[in-house]
């Protein structure tokens, strides 16, 4: 079949003329923010050469992780510190495997297949799931982007900046940074903003929480008494874990790895990039919990979290204006990074499914659809925030509920794709990886269901939360037992490591349709039913809230 290749100076993806099948186009230099790797360049030995390679690769993992510490994360970690002190720092330890497992799988999918997450779902699971994933991602990301601009208004308000000019300027910066036609220029801006997220460290120093209390919070898990009893505490713990995994992260990193032209040869370096990003997330989250705990301990506001602006004012009263201002600047920075990542994940996904040119290597003239989606989302979110009387609190709750509804499907599809031998060949998950990943996915699905139910029914009790967890645990054990029986005779370890660096997925058009067992059909049917019921309940709940009931 005749094809048009847009490698060289252009995109990280090319399409056949019918636009039906994206195929690999990793040809071209890797032009990272901190270095360049020439296409076809042989790997040089030595520590210095490896360090230069790592610097050139750094970007996807760092940006997606720091982008996760966005407006919603600031509110969640701040609430944990203000309402419960340092007692919930131990939850951050739980985040490390959750963060790594999901993002490692998508970076592997991106490097090995050269195809975006949305396109893989469409091709391997059918039109229904492909359309569902892209439509829901679009809606959820649009709402998430609004929460980023809400955070921008809170930061600007504390700093004494006018609301409308601040939102407009932030929107223009977010649009301009990605529309230059230079991948390297965008990544340099994004990594500089990631570095600015470390402003939370001097805020921590200014607040100087007691080191012994911080260490105790990390090392000794506890569920302290707080406002409202055990149920809101449990929901906050779930929120701390759940806020670290959002559907947009999966779509963003896979597409960004492709756009950067990272191949299987560089997966080890990309994993290191991911670990750097995880370290940044944990440092930022721990700093927020620590300094909010110190700032509000013994005050009238302890146990009465309002929003991120309230944290800034509390820091100012405790540690001075500089601490409050640094926190507000860090919040502003986090919202911009989050807006970058969320908008790009949508534009990448839509471009991938509709076979549009979608790459930061291209200018506006050569990727009009891609940049129109990106800029349109940013402009729409900024406009909504500026509407007088807009139900911003309602939108924030809607984001939480929708993210909870979507997470199970995103996690399940990710695990299935990483066990598809036609897609990943020798890069499929091994037995140990599958066992651990299945446990993480099961926990995430359980947390998602609890969060969704809690948003729909705010009066949920701790007994009801435990009941939901128990039911999910029993269901998970039954599914795990079934999988062990079904796969007892099947080798699950990747076959052969010698050719892994050179193995890439064949064109999608050459792959046979995956076999769908009865168990998978039943599982997909249950997932459809859950999504339909949950989405209907969320819509009803939003309508009720909008009318004040």
């Amino acid at each position: 079949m005749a094809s048009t290749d847009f490698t060289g100076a252009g995109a990280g993806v090319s399409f056949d003329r019918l636009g039906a099948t994206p195929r690999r186009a990793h040809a071209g230099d890797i032009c990272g923010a901190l270095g360049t790797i020439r296409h076809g360049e042989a790997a040089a030995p030595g520590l210095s050469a490896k360090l230069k390679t790592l610097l050139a690769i750094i970007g996807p993992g760092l940006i997606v992780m720091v982008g996760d510490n966005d407006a919603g994360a600031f509110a969640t970690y701040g609430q944990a510190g203000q309402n419960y002190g340092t007692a919930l720092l131990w939850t951050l330890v739980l985040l490390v495997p959750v963060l790594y497992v999901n993002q490692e799988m998508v970076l592997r999918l991106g490097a090995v297949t050269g195809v975006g997450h949305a396109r893989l779902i469409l091709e391997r699971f059918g039109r229904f799931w492909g359309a569902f994933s892209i439509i829901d991602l679009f809606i959820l990301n649009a709402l998430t982007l609004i929460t980023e601009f809400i955070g921008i208004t809170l930061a600007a308000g504390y700093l004494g900046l006018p609301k409308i000019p601040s939102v407009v300027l932030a929107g223009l910066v977010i649009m301009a940074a990605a529309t230059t036609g230079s991948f390297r220029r965008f990544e340099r801006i994004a990594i500089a903003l990631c570095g600015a997220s470390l402003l939370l460290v001097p805020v921590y120093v200014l607040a100087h929480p007691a080191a012994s209390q911080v260490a105790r919070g990390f090392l000794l898990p506890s569920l302290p008494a707080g406002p409202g009893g055990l149920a809101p505490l449990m929901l906050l713990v779930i929120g701390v874990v759940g806020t670290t995994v959002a559907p947009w992260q999966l779509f963003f990193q896979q597409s960004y790895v492709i756009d950067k032209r990272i191949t299987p040869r560089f997966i080890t370096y990309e994993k290191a990039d991911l670990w750097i990003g995880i370290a940044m997330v944990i440092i930022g989250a721990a700093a927020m919990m620590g300094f909010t705990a110190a700032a509000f301990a013994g005050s009238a506001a302890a146990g009465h979290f309002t929003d991120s602006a309230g944290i800034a004012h509390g820091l100012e009263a405790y540690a001075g204006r500089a601490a409050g201002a640094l926190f507000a600047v860090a919040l502003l920075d986090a919202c911009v990074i989050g807006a970058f990542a969320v908008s790009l994940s949508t534009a990448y996904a839509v471009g991938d499914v509709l076979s549009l040119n979608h790459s930061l290597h291209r200018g506006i003239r050569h990727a009009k659809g891609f940049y129109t989606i990106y800029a349109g989302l940013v402009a729409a979110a900024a406009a909504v925030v500026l509407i007088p009387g807009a139900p911003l609190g309602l939108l924030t709750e809607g984001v939480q509920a929708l993210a909870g509804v979507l997470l199970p499907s995103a996690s399940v599809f990710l695990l299935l794709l990483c066990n598809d031998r036609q897609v990943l060949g020798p890069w499929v998950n091994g037995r140990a990886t599958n066992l651990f990943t299945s446990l993480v996915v099961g926990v995430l699905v359980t947390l998602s269901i609890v969060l969704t139910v809690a948003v729909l029914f705010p009066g949920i009790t701790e007994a009801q939360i435990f009941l939901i967890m128990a039911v999910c645990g029993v269901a998970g054990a039954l599914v795990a037992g079934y999988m062990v029986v079904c796969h007892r005779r099947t080798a699950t370890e990747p076959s052969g490591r010698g050719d892994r660096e050179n193995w890439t997925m064949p064109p999608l058009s050459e792959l046979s349709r995956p076999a769908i067992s009865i168990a998978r059909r039943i599982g997909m049917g249950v997932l459809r039913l859950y999504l339909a019921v949950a989405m209907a309940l969320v819509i009803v709940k939003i309508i009720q809230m909008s009318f004040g009931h």
Side-chain angles (χ1 to χ4, degrees):
M1 180 182 293
S3 65
T4 301
D5 191 79
F6 295 111
T7 59
V13 179
S14 64
F15 296 91
D16 63 33
R17 292 189 185 277
L18 298 178
T21 308
R23 62 181 181 85
R24 294 189 61 86
H26 279 309
D29 301 339
I30 295 177
C31 300
L34 306 178
T36 299
I37 301 173
R38 300 296 178 188
H39 177 58
E41 181 180 7
L47 183 61
S48 176
K50 290 181 178 179
L51 179 59
K52 289 180 179 178
T53 301
L54 175 61
L55 289 174
I57 294 298
I58 283 176
L62 176 63
I63 295 169
V64 75
M65 288 292 95
V66 177
D68 184 49
N69 264 1
D70 59 357
F74 267 59
T76 302
Y77 300 138
Q79 183 179 2
Q82 183 173 342
N83 289 1
Y84 300 99
T86 58
L88 296 183
L89 278 168
W90 60 271
T91 59
L92 300 181
V93 179
L94 302 179
L95 302 185
V96 175
V98 175
L99 289 167
Y100 180 76
V101 164
N102 283 275
Q103 296 307 128
E104 187 277 334
M105 287 194 290
V106 290
L107 76 85
R108 193 167 8 119
L109 281 170
V112 175
T113 68
V115 177
H117 203 65
R119 188 73 187 202
L120 281 179
I121 292 175
L122 173 67
E123 296 291 338
R124 304 306 286 167
F125 301 104
R127 292 182 179 179
F128 172 83
W129 290 115
F132 178 86
S133 66
I134 197 66
I135 292 171
D136 277 10
L137 179 74
F138 189 93
I139 295 171
L140 177 59
N141 282 3
L143 294 174
T144 303
L145 197 55
I146 293 172
T147 67
E148 308 296 0
F149 276 97
I150 292 173
I152 289 171
T153 63
L154 293 175
Y158 174 80
L159 295 170
L161 302 175
K163 178 179 178 179
I164 294 177
S166 297
V167 170
V168 172
L169 179 60
L172 291 175
V173 169
I174 294 166
M175 292 182 196
T179 55
T180 63
S182 169
F183 185 96
R184 167 172 284 168
R185 191 175 295 119
F186 169 80
E187 189 166 86
R188 282 178 173 170
I189 294 170
I191 289 182
L193 291 171
C194 289
S197 69
L198 292 175
L199 286 172
L200 293 169
V201 174
V203 178
Y204 179 90
V205 173
L206 290 171
H208 55 270
S212 59
Q213 291 182 354
V214 172
R216 188 180 302 112
F218 265 117
L219 300 176
L220 299 177
S222 63
L223 293 174
L230 186 59
L233 170 61
M234 293 177 64
L235 290 175
L236 182 58
V237 171
I238 292 171
V240 169
V241 179
T243 194
T244 63
V245 181
W248 69 260
Q249 292 175 285
L250 309 181
F251 291 83
F252 172 81
Q253 175 150 312
Q254 188 164 333
S255 292
Y256 196 85
V257 162
I258 296 166
D259 206 4
K260 192 164 182 176
R261 301 166 180 160
I262 293 174
T263 63
R265 169 187 165 192
F266 301 107
I267 282 182
T268 299
Y269 293 97
E270 183 49 41
K271 289 180 181 180
D273 171 40
L274 179 58
W275 278 117
I276 293 171
I278 291 172
M280 295 274 283
V281 167
I282 299 301
I283 289 171
M288 278 188 275
M289 283 194 191
F291 61 62
T292 50
F296 291 96
S299 71
H304 301 287
F305 174 80
T306 54
D307 55 31
S308 297
I311 294 176
H313 286 291
L315 283 168
E316 179 180 352
Y318 176 77
R321 176 70 179 178
L326 283 173
F327 175 80
V329 172
L331 172 60
L332 185 63
D333 175 79
C335 293
V336 172
I337 299 172
F340 276 158
V342 171
S343 302
L344 274 176
S345 71
T346 310
Y348 276 136
V350 175
D352 203 35
V353 170
L354 299 183
S355 298
L356 304 174
N357 293 334
H358 52 292
S359 171
L360 292 172
H361 289 283
R362 291 179 173 276
I364 295 176
R365 189 164 62 91
H366 298 290
K368 294 183 179 68
F370 173 67
Y371 289 116
T372 297
I373 295 166
Y374 177 87
L377 274 174
V378 173
V384 168
V385 171
L386 294 178
I387 296 174
L392 301 181
L394 178 60
L395 291 172
T396 301
E397 291 220 17
V399 169
Q400 184 184 23
L402 286 174
V405 169
L406 285 176
L407 185 56
S409 62
S411 300
V412 169
F413 286 135
L414 176 59
L415 187 57
L416 290 175
L417 286 171
C418 284
N419 282 279
D420 190 332
R421 286 192 175 277
Q422 292 192 74
V423 170
L424 283 182
W427 290 97
V428 294
N429 288 353
R431 182 180 288 108
T433 301
N434 271 335
L435 287 174
F436 183 72
T437 303
S438 297
L439 175 62
V440 171
V441 170
V443 170
L444 289 176
V445 169
T446 301
L447 300 184
S448 165
I449 293 172
V450 172
L451 278 176
T452 302
V453 173
V455 171
L456 297 173
F457 307 103
I460 190 172
T461 65
E462 55 265 30
Q464 292 168 330
I465 293 174
F466 280 125
L467 177 61
I468 294 173
M469 289 182 171
V471 171
C472 290
V474 171
L478 292 174
V479 172
Y482 176 80
M483 290 176 64
V484 169
V485 172
C486 287
H487 293 281
R488 181 173 294 173
R489 297 187 299 272
T490 304
T492 58
E493 293 295 337
S495 57
R497 298 179 60 89
D499 62 343
R500 292 180 93 198
E501 289 190 0
N502 298 316
W503 195 95
T504 56
M505 185 187 74
L508 283 170
S509 58
E510 296 180 10
L511 302 184
S512 60
R513 300 294 294 178
I516 302 178
S517 64
I518 295 177
R520 178 172 291 191
R521 290 183 187 276
I522 294 174
M524 290 296 187
V526 171
L527 184 59
R528 281 195 195 195
L529 179 62
Y530 163 76
L531 291 170
V533 172
M535 289 291 291
L537 290 174
V538 167
I539 292 172
V540 170
K541 181 67 175 179
I542 290 175
I543 293 173
Q544 288 178 338
M545 292 173 66
S546 66
F547 284 100
H549 296 302

